[in-house]
Amino acid sequence: MDFGVVFQCDPPASAVVDLARKAEDAGFGYVWTFDSHLLWQEPFVIYSQILATTERVVVGPMVTNPGTRDWTVIASQFATLNEMFGNRTICGIGRGDSALRTLGAKPGTIEELKQCVDVVRSLACGETVEYRGQQLKFAWVENGALDVWVAAYGPKALAATGQVGDGYILQLADPDIAEWMIAAVRRSAEEAGRDPAAIKFCVAAPAYVGDDLEHQRDQTRWFGGMVGNHVADIVTRYGTSAAVPKALTDYIEGRKGYDYAQHGRAGNTHADFVPDEVVDRFCILGPVDNHLARLSALKSLGVDQFALYLQHDAKEETLAAYGRDIIPVFSHPVVGQGFGVQR
């Protein structure tokens, strides 16, 4: 199992770069960041500094979207970083949430997402694409490579992931829900004539190592609120039917609203509806043994990477604990690109 870490691009950017360097030193193979330009600083600028000051980590957004940048711009950003630093980027992408909603816009459609995945990946790999009625190609790309991993919860988004994604990002660490979601993606891939075993599966969730469980829950309850914001859209579309697991939808009954000014932050007052049980299921908290047990369960389901959301008050301590006590149990070296699926 590989390990990643997910940062917000809070100023100063130099602190994000420093944490990324410490993550690499601790054995993490991936550094991800949020991508919501009105809430945090611009990630692609920061990626250049992270890549310049590290040697091994693969860097990218968790997640970008088809709506806030032209698709050719997204592709050019990745291709440029790869040319400079040797194919060490990865693209996490979804329909869009905070980056679009803070602009007063709605998330993109599933069809837009699928088309964007193909355009961005193909251009970054040096291939010719048809976009806006034009045949386009980056003439300067040589030996380009880019994997695109799709973040999804709802049935249609999961199906799209199986159809076009090199990987799947599930933003919660509940094994029962993960098993259901992974099966849906694999089923879609098989129906599309792709090799479902070749798709990489990433579970992303807050992790906090320590003994004060009550404090850890308070520090990570925001995550249930963030996930609940996506789940509310699913419930609006599908209801509470068997289209999605009840464990994913039941807890949002007490949800009253969401303030994006507190998006992804410890102490988010709009996450009060999230019960302790959901925090414990969605996040990985407690002493080292708790983390080892949950990660073992996820690995047995076929999870290839655990990406640790690091938005709490013990960032460096948790990085160190993972590097010392957890990553050595599961990890193997990351060798950059070349792990894509059949297209």
Side-chain angles (χ1 to χ4, degrees), residues 8 40 217-227 229 257-274 311:
Q8 290 171 340
W40 301 286
R217 286 169 176 157
D218 289 342
Q219 286 285 299
T220 57
R221 198 176 306 275
W222 64 268
F223 184 69
M226 186 185 80
V227 173
N229 205 45
Y258 195 78
D259 180 4
Y260 277 96
Q262 301 182 54
H263 187 62
R265 299 192 182 279
N268 185 332
T269 58
H270 289 258
D272 291 345
F273 71 94
V274 182
Q311 285 78 49

Side-chain angles (χ1 to χ4, degrees), residues 11 23 40 51 95 101 106 113 123 129 138 156 161 174 187 195 208 215 237 244 252 300 305 319 332 340:
W40 301 286
L51 290 164
R95 292 173 55 224
R101 294 185 196 273
K106 295 180 180 180
L113 174 61
L123 283 175
V129 303
F138 294 150
K156 290 184 179 180
T161 303
D174 180 280
R187 184 167 55 250
D195 179 3
Y208 193 137
H215 176 72
R237 180 180 295 268
V244 288
I252 69 162
S300 71
Q305 180 185 154
L319 282 178
H332 54 80

Side-chain angles (χ1 to χ4, degrees), residues 229-311:
N229 205 45
H230 295 286
V231 174
D233 286 342
I234 296 171
V235 171
T236 298
R237 180 180 295 268
Y238 299 100
T240 55
S241 69
V244 288
K246 286 182 63 65
L248 184 62
T249 60
D250 283 353
Y251 82 100
I252 69 162
E253 291 181 0
R255 179 179 179 273
K256 294 181 174 63
Y258 195 78
D259 180 4
Y260 277 96
Q262 301 182 54
H263 187 62
R265 299 192 182 279
N268 185 332
T269 58
H270 289 258
D272 291 345
F273 71 94
V274 182
D276 288 350
E277 177 189 1
V278 167
V279 179
D280 292 347
R281 292 183 66 172
F282 284 14
C283 307
I284 307 183
L285 310 176
V288 167
D289 285 348
N290 287 19
H291 295 251
L292 294 175
R294 180 75 66 84
L295 292 168
S296 294
L298 292 170
K299 182 180 179 181
S300 71
L301 298 175
V303 173
D304 299 287
Q305 180 185 154
F306 175 64
L308 186 166
Y309 275 96
L310 205 62
Q311 285 78 49

Side-chain angles (χ1 to χ4, degrees), residues 157-207:
L158 291 168
T161 303
Q163 293 161 4
V164 302
D166 297 313
Y168 168 53
I169 297 170
L170 172 61
Q171 291 164 306
L172 55 83
D174 180 280
D176 292 335
I177 296 174
E179 184 176 20
W180 192 96
M181 300 290 193
I182 289 171
V185 172
R186 285 177 171 159
R187 184 167 55 250
S188 172
E190 187 171 7
E191 292 170 353
R194 306 174 77 205
D195 179 3
I199 296 177
K200 295 294 183 179
F201 292 96
C202 173
V203 162

Side-chain angles (χ1 to χ4, degrees), residues 80-153:
T80 301
L81 291 170
N82 283 339
E83 189 278 328
M84 293 173 67
F85 300 105
N87 290 341
R88 288 175 54 203
T89 68
I90 188 167
C91 178
I93 194 167
R95 292 173 55 224
D97 182 37
S98 62
L100 291 170
R101 294 185 196 273
T102 53
L103 292 171
K106 295 180 180 180
T109 67
I110 298 297
E111 190 58 33
E112 287 172 339
L113 174 61
K114 290 168 60 177
Q115 293 174 8
C116 182
V117 168
D118 284 335
V119 168
V120 169
R121 179 173 54 208
S122 296
L123 283 175
C125 291
E127 300 169 4
T128 299
V129 303
E130 183 174 340
Y131 179 64
R132 296 187 176 181
Q134 303 290 320
Q135 295 293 311
L136 305 177
K137 176 183 172 67
F138 294 150
W140 47 271
V141 172
E142 296 182 5
N143 302 315
L146 182 69
D147 276 12
V148 182
W149 293 10
V150 181
Y153 294 105

